[in-house]
Amino acid sequence: MAVKNVVLEYRQLDDMHKLEAYKKAGGYSGSEKAVTSFTPEGLIEEVKESGLRGRGGAGFPTGLKWSFVPKDSPKPKYLCVNGDESEPGTAKDRELLTYLPHQLIEGIIIAGYAVGISKAFIYIRGEMKEQAEIVSEAVQEAYDAGLLGKNIYNSGYDLDVVVHRGAGAYICGEESALLNSLEGYRGFPRLKPPFPAVEGLYACPTVVNNVETLSTLPTILRNGAEWYSSMGTEKSKGTRVFTLSGHVAKPGNYELELGTPMSYLINECGGGVTGGALKAIIPGGASAPLLTAEHIDVSLDFEAIAEAGSMAGSGAVVVINDQTSIVDVCLNLDEFFQEESCGKCSPCREGTKWLMDILHRITEGHGTMEDLETLLDVCDNLAGKSFCPLGDSATSCIVSGLKYFREDFEALVKSVEKVGS
Amino acid sequence: MSTATVETGVTITMDGVVGEFPKGTLLIEAAVQLGIEIPVYCYHPKMDPVGACRVCVVEVENQRRPIMTACTTTVMEGMVVHTQSAAAKKAREGVLEFLLINHPLDCPVCDRAGECDLQDFVLRHGPGTSRFKEKKRHFEKAKQIGDNIILDRERCIMCQRCVRFSHEIARDSDALAIVDRGTHSEIGTGSEAPYNSPFGGNVVELCPVGALTAKAYRFKSRPWELQHFSTVCHGCSVGCNTTTDVRYDEVVRTRSRMNEQVDDGWLCDKGRYHDLNRRVEDRVTQPLRKTEDGYQEISWDEALSFYSEKTKGINLKKSLVVVDNNVDNESGYAAVRLARSVYQTSNIHLVQPYLDRVEDLRGVSKSFVESAEVLVVDSVSLANLAPVVELWLNKALKQGAQLITIGDAPKNLSCKPHAAIKDKEQAQLLETLKQPVASDKKTMWPIVYPWESGFETSNDIAVAQSLLSGASKVCWLMEAEKEDPGPELFTDLDDTLGRTVLALRLTQGANTLGLLEMGCHPYYGPGGTDLEKLDNLSQAWDGYNSEEGCTPDELEGKKFDCVLEVGSCSQQSKVGKNGFYLVLTSSFNPETPKTNQAPDLILPMAHQLEHAHTTVNLSGYLQYSGMATVPVGESLSGWMILTRLAEVHESLWGWSNHQDVILSMGKNISSLEGLSLEDFSDQSSRHWSYPQGGALGAPRPDLSAIPSASGNTPYLNLPSFTSQVGKTGRLTYGDSVPTVPGQEDPRALAQKLGFNMSSEEGGEEKNSDLLNLRVIQSGPIQPAGPSPAHRYHKVGVQAFEPASQWDEPEVEPTLKESEKGDS
C-alpha cells in the first residue's frame, strides 16, 4: 500500500506545463497511440475495459457515457471539460490544471477522437484565473505544435479547443447548468431527459467529462486498459486523487489506488489527526454525508463508501476532530449551499435558507428541541424533491449530523434551556 | 406528429383511475383529463415545461426518486401514479410551506387576494400551520418595472412564467429575467431598462400571485366585486377573445379568454387597455342637434322628430350610407337594410372600402401562419395593424420557419429576419413562387430564441429567393390596401408546383370582413350574393334597390342629399349644399368640425362593451361579444337606432331584441343560414344576473355562482378549464385553409387530451358566394344566459319592449359540476 502516482505521474517532474518538457517525458504518446492505432469504436472499448469511472462525483463509467452519443446525428458533437471544481474540500482538478495542462489536452484529444468530436470547450471555474491562463497557454502551444487544429497526427482528425472561464457559480459544476452557462445563459440546471449525450450544448450531442477523468486517459493509453484495471477493486478500478483537508498534519492531494483504507490516507499520507481525536469524516466533498471515527477503515472506493452511508463524490476527504461542534460544521456547509443555490426550484431556494436560519439560531443559543425535528423534516421536504442534486447535498450533513452527533445539537439547545429556566 | 404515434396510447393508472394517453403526454395533462386536480404554478400549457416550482409533485411507483413533478414527467406504459399518497401529500405540503415562509401576509392589501393561486392551493393542499420562526426576506415594495407594471418582489414565488413569456413568446428586446441568485433572486430586466413590451400585460395575467400587478387595475377592485363578461377585443381585426371585468358598471380590467382558433390566450397591450378608455371625454351620451350656437342635447323623441322633418323633403334615393369598419355585424346589417330597402339607395360603403380586394380577403387561419415554412412580411407593420399576429410569427420561427421581410418591415418587427430585401425586389421574389418547389431545401439558422446571433441578416435577393424556392408552405403578410401582389398571383399558382401560398391581408378596423358579409358594399348584397339574385331578400325586406353603387373613385367629390354615417364622422365632404348629414357614433368632439358640413344630427351609439353583438375576425370566425356594462347616457346599439329611423319611414322591421336581428341575419344571409343566438352557447352573456339597481351599494353578486374562484388564469385551474375556453361560431374560408399533411391537427390532439377547444364538431357547412364563407354551427346548444336587453327600458324607447323570452325571471346560467366545487 502506497501512494500510486498514475494520474499525477508527471506531477513529480518539473516544467510539465510546458509542451517541450511534457513531450520529452513521454507526453502526447497516449493521444498519438489513440489516434493512429485505434478506431474510435476500438478506443471506446479500450476505455470501457479499463473500468474508468467519472471522477467528478457521480462515478459513471466513462466509456459507457461516450457510447450514448448517437453516431449518426447530423449535428455537430461537442466535448465539454468540466473544470468548474467548486465542491468544498476539493482541489484535485486545480492541481491538474495548474501543473499538467497538457495531460488534459491529451485526454481531450483521446476522448474527442473516440466520440468523433471536433470542438471541445474547457470550462474553468471563474475563480481559477491563473489556471485558465496556464491552460490557454498550453492550448496555444499545442496548436502551434500541430497537436490541435486540423489533421492531428496526419490522421485527418480535426479538433479545436476553446478555453472558457465560468462566472463563479457552484451550480455550474452540474453538467446541464454548465452547458447553460457556456451558452451564455444563467447557470440553471436543465430538465433531463434529454441528457447531454443526446441534446447538450446548443442542443447537439455533448460529452461532459471531468478534468481528472480526461487526464487519466493518456496513462491508460500509454500503459493499456489491462494495466489500469488491474488496480483498484472489482467495481472501482484504477486510482484516484484524494484531496485531504481538515484537522490533519499534512493536508494535500494524494493519489491512491481505489480500495485503499481511509486510515491509510488520514494517518500515513496526512500524518494523522491534529488538535484532538478523530470525530467525523466527510468522505467525498461537502455534498457527502458525514462518517464517524468508526468508519476510519472504510475502503476508499465508490461501493464501500456508499455502503457506509455516504458517497465517494469528488474524492475530497475532510477530517474533523473532536474539538469541533458538528452544528458548526453543518452551519458552515449550509451557508455555502444556500449561497450557491441557484434559486430555480422552490425547495432548494427556500429550504437551504431556512435550514441556515435555524442552524444560526441554534448556534446563537436560541434553539429548541422542536427545532431539531423541524430541521429533519425540512431536510426531508428538500431531499429528493429539488430540481437537481444540489438540494439533496444541502441536507446530507445535517441529516447525518443529527444521526451520529445529535448530542452536539442537544447540548447547545439544553444549555440554553438551562440558562433560560 | 404522425397519426400512428397517437394511436399507440400509453396506459397509466392515476389514483386508481386507468387512462390511455398519447405518448408524450405530461402527467399534468393526463390528470386534467382524468379530472384530478394537481396544483401548478410554473406549468403553463403554452410554454415549455420548466419544473421549477415543484408544487405538482406526485408519487410514481417503482422509481429511484419516486417523488416526481407532473409537469415534466411524461406518461410511460404501466406507470402507477398517486397524487394523494402520504408521500405525495407531504411533498406537496412541503413545497407550499417553502413558498409561504418568505411570502408576506399582506393578502388584505393585495390585488390578487381572492383570485390568488397561492391562496387557493394552500387552502386545498397546503399545511394548516406555520413552523417558520425566522425573519422573512424583505425587498422594497411596489417597484415599478415598466410603464404599466408594478412588481412586489416579496410576493414573487419565482415560477418564471413572466420570464418565459417574455423570452419564449413575446421575444422582448429588454426581456424579463431573473436577477441575482438563490434566495435573493428577483425579477427584472437585466439591463435595468424598463419592461415596456407591447405584450407586457400578459405577464400580469400570467402571474399566479400578486407579484406583478397592472398600474391600471391596482387597488381598483376586489376580485369578488367583479363580474366577468365574455367579450371580443375591438382593437384590430384579430378579434382576440377577452373577459371584461366590471365593478358596478365600471370596466376595470380586460383579460384574455383563450380561444385556440383565434388567439393563444395572449393580448397585446393596445387591445388590453383600450377598452378602459370607454368613458372618453368626447363620449356622446344623448342625441345632439346642430344649432347656430353649437350642439344642443335633445331627447330621443325630439331627435326622431327632427330626423323625420329633415328627411321629408329629401330624395332619399340620393343618399349615401357609410359604415365604419369597426361597427358590429348587426348595425352593419341594419344599415344595409335601411340603405337598400328604405332609402332605396345603392350607395352603401365602408369607410375603408377594399372594393376590389374583397375576393382575396379570404382569411388565413392562425394555424397556417404558425406552421408556414417561410413567412414574408411585405412592408406591413404588424405592430400597427394586428400586433398579436407577431406572436404567431414568433411561434412559426421557433419551429424553424424562415423570415423574409420586404421594405421597411424589419424596423417594426421584434425579431431579426433571415433576409431583408428592398421594395423594388419584391417582383423577383414573386417570380420564385411561380417555380416548382426546389428539391434542395435551403434554410438558415432557425430563430430559436435566442439564437438570433447565429446568423446575419442577408440583404441579398438571391438568398431570399433560395429560402423561398424550397418552401412548400408560404405565408405572405401584407396590408389589404396593397394592390401588388394581387389575389390572382396566389390563386392562379399552378397546383403542380407543390406549393401552398396564402396571403394574410390585414385590414383596417375590427370587422371589415363581417361588414362585407352583411352587404356593406355597393356591388354585392348580404352574404356576398349578386344583387340580381336577391329576390327572397326583396320580398322579406319589402323592396330592395339592386343597382350597383358608385366606385370609391366616382364617390370622390360627389355630393349627396343625405349622408348617414354609422360609427365614425369622416364624410363631411360628401354632403350636398342643403343636404342632411346624420351621424351615429359613440364619441364626437363638437369643437372639431366647425364647417357647414358638421353633422346636423348626432345619435349616441353604444360602445362595443355596452351591447351584445357579433363580428367576424381576419380568419373568418364569427364571434359573439357579450354586453359587459350599461350604455353610457342614452346611447343605443347601432341597429336599434337604425330600426327607429326606419320606423320613421313607416318601415317596421319587427326587431325588438338582439335575437330578432340575429334570426333575420340567419334567414337572409345564405352563409349564416339558420343562425341564432343559441349558436354561441353559454358564452353569450353575463355569467350571472346583474345586481338590481346597478350602482354602488347594490346587493353583492351571489358568490356561489362565480364560475371559478381564481379568475386570473382560468385554464390553469384545471378542472374548470373546458368551460372557460372561448367559443365561436366558425366562418371558414373555403379551401384557403389547407390542413398540413403529416401533421396532427393540434386541436384534434387537444381534444383527445380532453381540452374542449372547439365548437366545430359535427357542424354543417354552408357556402357563400362572395367570400366563400362557410359557417359551421356549434355542437350542443345550451340555453343562452339572461339578456341585458331589459336595461334599455330606461332610455324610454317603447318600441324596444323586450321579447317575452327575456321577461322570464333571470335564470342562473348552468354551471358545470367541476366549476361548482371551486367556489
Side-chain angles (χ1 to χ4, degrees):
Chain A
M1 222 181 303
V3 168
K4 204 155 204 164
N5 286 317
V6 172
V7 180
L8 294 179
E9 185 187 346
Y10 293 153
R11 173 72 182 88
Q12 318 310 320
L13 307 173
D14 288 337
D15 285 341
M16 279 298 112
H17 63 285
K18 294 204 173 110
L19 179 64
E20 203 189 332
Y22 182 71
K23 270 192 111 166
K24 208 169 165 189
Y28 284 108
S29 61
S31 56
E32 184 169 10
K33 189 171 165 195
V35 175
T36 53
S37 57
F38 278 94
T39 62
E41 295 77 24
L43 192 52
I44 293 180
E45 275 313 305
E46 179 80 0
V47 174
K48 273 187 184 170
E49 275 168 32
S50 75
L52 177 66
R53 288 167 68 170
R55 298 291 187 241
F60 196 81
T62 306
L64 194 61
K65 195 178 202 175
W66 293 353
S67 60
F68 290 153
V69 177
K71 294 201 169 40
D72 49 357
S73 169
K75 294 177 181 175
K77 297 170 204 165
Y78 297 111
L79 171 66
C80 293
V81 182
N82 189 341
D84 191 60
E85 185 181 59
S86 347
E87 182 77 14
T90 319
K92 62 187 177 68
D93 294 343
R94 183 166 159 273
E95 175 142 358
L96 288 166
L97 291 168
T98 316
Y99 297 103
L100 300 170
H102 283 289
Q103 192 168 324
L104 173 64
I105 296 168
E106 200 182 345
I108 292 171
I109 298 172
I110 298 167
Y113 176 74
V115 188
I117 289 167
S118 50
K119 186 122 189 171
F121 296 88
I122 307 177
Y123 186 97
I124 295 179
R125 180 180 166 182
E127 287 84 346
M128 301 204 283
K129 184 168 180 276
E130 188 195 343
Q131 284 72 15
E133 283 163 4
I134 293 169
V135 174
S136 299
E137 275 172 35
V139 167
Q140 193 52 52
E141 275 188 307
Y143 264 110
D144 293 343
L147 292 163
L148 289 176
K150 298 269 175 229
N151 196 17
I152 298 169
Y153 300 119
N154 293 319
S155 61
Y157 172 58
D158 305 334
L159 177 66
D160 281 311
V161 174
V162 176
V163 179
H164 180 94
R165 274 181 70 201
Y170 170 70
I171 190 64
C172 293
E174 196 280 337
E175 58 178 4
S176 64
L178 182 148
L179 297 177
N180 265 356
S181 168
L182 199 49
E183 287 182 15
Y185 296 118
R186 194 180 165 80
F188 266 172
R190 293 180 182 173
L191 266 185
K192 293 178 203 171
F195 288 94
V198 182
E199 239 177 70
L201 191 64
Y202 305 113
C204 297
T206 304
V207 172
V208 185
N209 279 152
N210 173 258
V211 169
E212 188 188 346
T213 315
L214 291 168
S215 300
T216 312
L217 294 171
T219 355
I220 295 177
L221 263 291
R222 279 201 301 273
N223 301 302
E226 208 178 313
W227 166 81
Y228 190 78
S229 64
S230 69
M231 295 179 287
T233 66
E234 193 195 336
K235 286 184 176 166
S236 301
K237 307 276 189 207
T239 63
R240 187 163 196 196
V241 182
F242 293 95
T243 311
L244 183 66
S245 63
H247 299 130
V248 286
K250 291 188 283 172
N253 285 325
Y254 299 98
E255 186 170 7
L256 297 172
E257 209 173 312
L258 284 160
T260 309
M262 176 85 80
S263 53
Y264 182 84
L265 175 67
I266 294 174
N267 294 328
E268 306 305 318
C269 304
V273 184
T274 55
L278 179 65
K279 180 172 187 176
I281 307 162
I282 302 175
S287 305
L290 295 169
L291 294 179
T292 64
E294 283 173 25
H295 297 108
I296 182 73
D297 284 319
V298 69
S299 155
L300 287 169
D301 65 78
F302 292 102
E303 288 68 32
I305 297 178
E307 209 175 299
S310 188
M311 63 178 201
S314 66
V317 176
V318 184
V319 177
I320 298 160
N321 69 15
D322 63 358
Q323 302 302 302
T324 315
S325 163
I326 295 299
V327 185
D328 288 339
V329 175
C330 290
L331 177 60
N332 182 304
L333 290 177
D334 201 65
E335 275 177 343
F336 169 79
F337 284 113
Q338 86 86 28
E339 174 64 33
E340 293 296 341
S341 168
C342 74
K344 175 169 180 165
C345 72
S346 327
C348 182
R349 179 183 67 246
E350 305 291 344
T352 50
K353 170 82 170 21
W354 192 4
L355 290 174
M356 184 186 78
D357 287 350
I358 298 177
L359 288 168
H360 255 302
R361 207 153 39 76
I362 293 175
T363 52
E364 282 163 11
H366 302 292
T368 62
M369 292 301 273
E370 209 179 33
D371 286 330
L372 306 189
E373 300 318 309
T374 308
L375 272 180
L376 277 177
D377 197 58
V378 172
C379 286
D380 182 57
N381 286 343
L382 176 48
K385 279 100 178 172
S386 55
F387 185 89
C388 81
L390 193 147
D392 303 2
S393 305
T395 65
S396 26
C397 182
I398 298 170
V399 174
S400 58
L402 274 164
K403 181 179 169 194
Y404 296 122
F405 306 100
R406 197 181 172 94
E407 62 277 9
D408 282 18
F409 292 82
E410 287 182 354
L412 261 172
V413 172
K414 277 180 184 155
S415 69
V416 172
E417 281 179 351
K418 233 179 204 169
V419 172
S421 61
Chain B
M1 201 185 291
S2 72
T3 5
T5 49
V6 175
E7 277 166 6
T8 49
V10 176
T11 310
I12 68 156
T13 311
M14 188 181 284
D15 290 353
V17 189
V18 182
E20 193 180 327
F21 304 95
K23 206 178 160 193
T25 307
L26 294 169
L27 286 182
I28 188 77
E29 293 164 347
V32 170
Q33 192 175 345
L34 295 173
I36 295 169
E37 182 184 90
I38 300 176
V40 287
Y41 295 121
C42 67
Y43 169 77
H44 191 281
K46 294 285 173 194
M47 295 192 263
D48 293 340
V50 58
C53 77
R54 320 300 286 176
V55 79
C56 65
V57 282
V58 293
E59 187 183 3
V60 182
E61 286 185 10
N62 299 322
Q63 294 289 325
R64 199 171 56 88
R65 281 168 75 124
I67 297 296
M68 302 177 89
T69 43
C71 74
T72 60
T73 311
T74 52
V75 291
M76 303 283 275
E77 187 58 41
M79 201 179 233
V80 181
V81 184
H82 302 283
T83 71
Q84 298 301 321
S85 66
K89 277 169 115 167
K90 177 164 193 299
R92 196 151 55 227
E93 273 187 20
V95 172
L96 285 165
E97 186 182 30
F98 283 137
L99 290 174
L100 285 176
I101 56 173
N102 279 306
H103 193 87
L105 270 175
D106 61 356
C107 303
V109 293
C110 177
D111 267 342
R112 194 62 96 186
E115 52 177 21
C116 171
D117 284 351
L118 192 60
Q119 281 185 330
D120 290 353
F121 289 139
V122 166
L123 184 70
R124 296 205 281 272
H125 302 277
T129 53
S130 172
R131 301 181 283 180
F132 189 70
K133 300 179 197 163
E134 330 306 324
K135 275 186 189 153
K136 283 189 190 252
R137 178 176 54 226
H138 285 297
F139 284 109
E140 190 191 325
K141 288 277 203 188
K143 180 185 180 189
Q144 180 149 3
I145 59 165
D147 290 351
N148 293 318
I149 304 173
I150 310 280
L151 167 69
D152 186 316
R153 291 164 287 180
E154 294 181 344
R155 294 179 190 155
C156 178
I157 58 166
M158 283 292 148
C159 67
Q160 299 185 51
R161 274 192 201 167
C162 56
V163 172
R164 286 144 67 211
F165 172 83
S166 183
H167 281 246
E168 293 173 26
I169 312 278
R171 306 163 61 91
D172 296 319
S173 49
D174 273 312
L176 287 179
I178 298 178
V179 182
D180 220 322
R181 191 172 68 195
T183 185
H184 310 291
S185 303
E186 57 176 286
I187 303 296
T189 54
S191 58
E192 292 291 315
Y195 178 64
N196 286 333
S197 161
F199 305 100
N202 293 298
V203 302
V204 176
E205 210 178 311
L206 281 168
C207 185
V209 294
L212 292 167
T213 45
K215 225 174 154 188
Y217 174 70
R218 258 171 95 76
F219 308 126
K220 281 273 167 66
S221 174
R222 309 307 319 228
W224 51 86
E225 295 171 329
L226 293 176
Q227 295 165 292
H228 313 294
F229 302 103
S230 301
T231 52
V232 170
C233 178
H234 268 241
C236 74
S237 53
V238 176
C240 295
N241 289 198
T242 47
T243 298
T244 300
D245 292 341
V246 176
R247 180 180 186 268
Y248 303 118
D249 286 343
E250 186 68 36
V251 175
V252 290
R253 184 169 69 169
T254 305
R255 292 174 299 145
S256 67
R257 178 168 56 98
M258 189 175 74
N259 183 335
E260 201 75 18
Q261 293 139 297
V262 176
D263 53 62
D264 267 334
W266 315 127
L267 300 178
C268 66
D269 278 12
K270 231 167 151 183
R272 184 183 296 270
Y273 297 118
H274 100 290
D275 280 345
L276 298 177
N277 301 328
R278 188 174 60 95
R279 291 176 189 268
V280 286
E281 281 180 12
D282 297 337
R283 191 66 203 267
V284 187
T285 56
Q286 251 191 302
L288 298 173
R289 188 171 70 188
K290 189 172 77 175
T291 66
E292 283 170 4
D293 309 323
Y295 281 93
Q296 183 196 354
E297 289 192 348
I298 54 172
S299 72
W300 270 104
D301 285 345
E302 285 168 324
L304 292 172
S305 309
F306 178 68
Y307 169 79
S308 168
E309 202 182 296
K310 290 292 272 190
T311 48
K312 240 169 217 160
I314 291 176
N315 180 5
L316 285 171
K317 278 198 159 194
K318 289 187 177 170
S319 301
L320 169 69
V321 178
V322 178
V323 181
D324 188 80
N325 296 49
N326 288 303
V327 166
D328 54 282
N329 289 335
E330 291 76 358
S331 305
Y333 179 67
V336 173
R337 182 165 183 179
L338 188 73
R340 294 243 178 219
S341 166
V342 179
Y343 290 180
Q344 291 283 320
T345 176
S346 56
N347 277 312
I348 165 113
H349 292 265
L350 288 179
V351 173
Q352 288 283 339
Y354 302 113
L355 278 194
D356 303 318
R357 308 241 67 88
V358 171
E359 284 181 35
D360 58 298
L361 285 178
R362 34 180 67 190
V364 172
S365 68
K366 168 173 157 275
S367 62
F368 183 84
V369 180
E370 289 168 354
S371 61
E373 291 165 30
V374 171
L375 296 144
V376 184
V377 181
D378 191 352
S379 316
V380 62
S381 165
L382 296 179
N384 286 339
L385 275 180
V388 163
V389 173
E390 197 163 336
L391 301 184
W392 307 353
L393 209 77
N394 288 347
K395 226 167 149 183
L397 296 174
K398 203 177 164 191
Q399 288 163 22
Q402 308 283 303
L403 180 64
I404 301 171
T405 58
I406 302 175
D408 58 0
K411 71 168 186 237
N412 298 316
L413 281 176
S414 64
C415 51
K416 187 166 88 172
H418 291 94
I421 60 166
K422 296 185 193 78
D423 273 326
K424 61 180 187 214
E425 291 166 331
Q426 184 218 41
Q428 283 169 269
L429 203 58
L430 289 169
E431 277 308 306
T432 316
L433 289 177
K434 295 176 187 160
Q435 310 301 321
V437 173
S439 52
D440 59 327
K441 194 168 161 179
K442 290 197 181 58
T443 50
M444 287 170 72
W445 194 293
I447 313 185
V448 179
Y449 176 82
W451 294 114
E452 293 172 356
S453 50
F455 65 91
E456 284 301 318
T457 297
S458 167
N459 292 318
D460 188 352
I461 173 72
V463 172
Q465 280 175 319
S466 71
L467 291 176
L468 201 56
S469 65
S472 54
K473 205 172 172 189
V474 179
C475 186
W476 200 281
L477 295 103
M478 58 191 288
E479 284 175 22
E481 281 90 348
K482 201 168 151 79
E483 294 191 0
D484 178 40
E488 65 287 346
L489 179 98
F490 300 116
T491 44
D492 292 354
L493 283 180
D494 194 340
D495 286 345
T496 58
L497 295 178
R499 177 181 280 129
T500 310
V501 187
L502 294 181
L504 180 58
R505 291 168 193 269
L506 297 164
T507 54
Q508 307 269 356
N511 191 30
T512 301
L513 268 66
L515 292 169
L516 291 172
E517 190 67 9
M518 294 303 118
C520 296
H521 197 285
Y523 315 151
Y524 296 107
T529 19
D530 276 349
L531 292 163
E532 306 298 325
K533 294 180 188 162
L534 286 168
D535 291 346
N536 289 344
L537 196 63
S538 180
Q539 223 170 359
W541 284 5
D542 202 13
Y544 189 89
N545 182 341
S546 60
E547 290 161 22
E548 287 192 359
C550 304
T551 64
D553 288 344
E554 288 165 355
L555 219 52
E556 279 308 312
K558 201 169 169 165
K559 305 282 181 194
F560 291 86
D561 289 0
C562 172
V563 173
L564 166 62
E565 213 183 332
V566 183
S568 54
C569 183
S570 60
Q571 308 295 319
Q572 297 92 333
S573 61
K574 314 245 173 26
V575 188
K577 200 169 178 202
N578 292 313
F580 175 53
Y581 185 21
L582 168 63
V583 166
L584 274 61
T585 183
S586 51
S587 68
F588 174 73
N589 182 351
E591 302 298 320
T592 23
K594 280 200 170 156
T595 62
N596 295 334
Q597 289 150 336
D600 297 294
L601 180 62
I602 294 164
L603 299 177
M605 210 162 86
H607 183 269
Q608 67 260 14
L609 292 177
E610 298 166 354
H611 66 127
H613 62 271
T614 63
T615 51
V616 177
N617 87 335
L618 54 75
S619 302
Y621 290 102
L622 177 67
Q623 305 203 91
Y624 182 97
S625 183
M627 173 181 180
T629 180
V630 285
V632 169
E634 296 189 359
S635 48
L636 292 174
S637 297
W639 66 264
M640 289 183 180
I641 303 172
L642 294 163
T643 313
R644 287 298 284 157
L645 298 183
E647 277 172 19
V648 171
H649 303 288
E650 288 170 0
S651 173
L652 302 178
W653 298 350
W655 296 350
S656 54
N657 58 38
H658 190 209
Q659 174 77 310
D660 291 342
V661 195
I662 291 280
L663 289 176
S664 171
M665 282 159 61
K667 206 165 140 196
N668 295 321
I669 302 177
S670 55
S671 57
L672 301 178
E673 201 181 320
L675 187 72
S676 106
L677 274 187
E678 280 77 21
D679 289 333
F680 304 101
S681 69
D682 56 351
Q683 291 295 317
S684 55
S685 189
R686 7 194 87 209
H687 286 180
W688 73 88
S689 58
Y690 196 75
Q692 294 302 308
L696 285 167
R700 276 198 176 168
D702 177 8
L703 285 175
S704 67
I706 302 175
S708 158
S710 165
N712 58 321
T713 43
Y715 42 91
L716 291 164
N717 242 343
L718 300 158
S720 54
F721 180 42
T722 51
S723 60
Q724 293 285 338
V725 175
K727 280 187 180 163
T728 48
R730 170 73 161 115
L731 284 165
T732 56
Y733 290 87
D735 299 321
S736 64
V737 191
T739 49
V740 193
Q743 200 172 348
E744 170 87 356
D745 176 3
R747 278 196 0 269
L749 182 67
Q751 264 161 20
K752 279 181 197 159
L753 290 173
F755 293 81
N756 181 14
M757 290 174 175
S758 161
S759 54
E760 276 187 23
E761 308 156 81
E764 263 179 70
E765 300 183 358
K766 286 161 192 159
N767 293 312
S768 146
D769 294 339
L770 173 63
L771 289 169
N772 198 14
L773 293 174
R774 281 177 298 165
V775 62
I776 304 175
Q777 287 162 3
S778 328
I781 293 176
Q782 298 187 13
S787 163
H790 67 278
R791 291 156 73 192
Y792 289 112
H793 279 270
K794 59 182 173 189
V795 183
V797 184
Q798 288 182 350
F800 300 134
E801 201 68 70
S804 58
Q805 67 177 108
W806 305 123
D807 283 347
E808 299 289 325
E810 286 172 344
V811 192
E812 301 270 277
T814 330
L815 289 179
K816 297 227 164 66
E817 278 305 314
S818 54
E819 290 173 339
K820 286 179 182 164
D822 293 358
S823 33

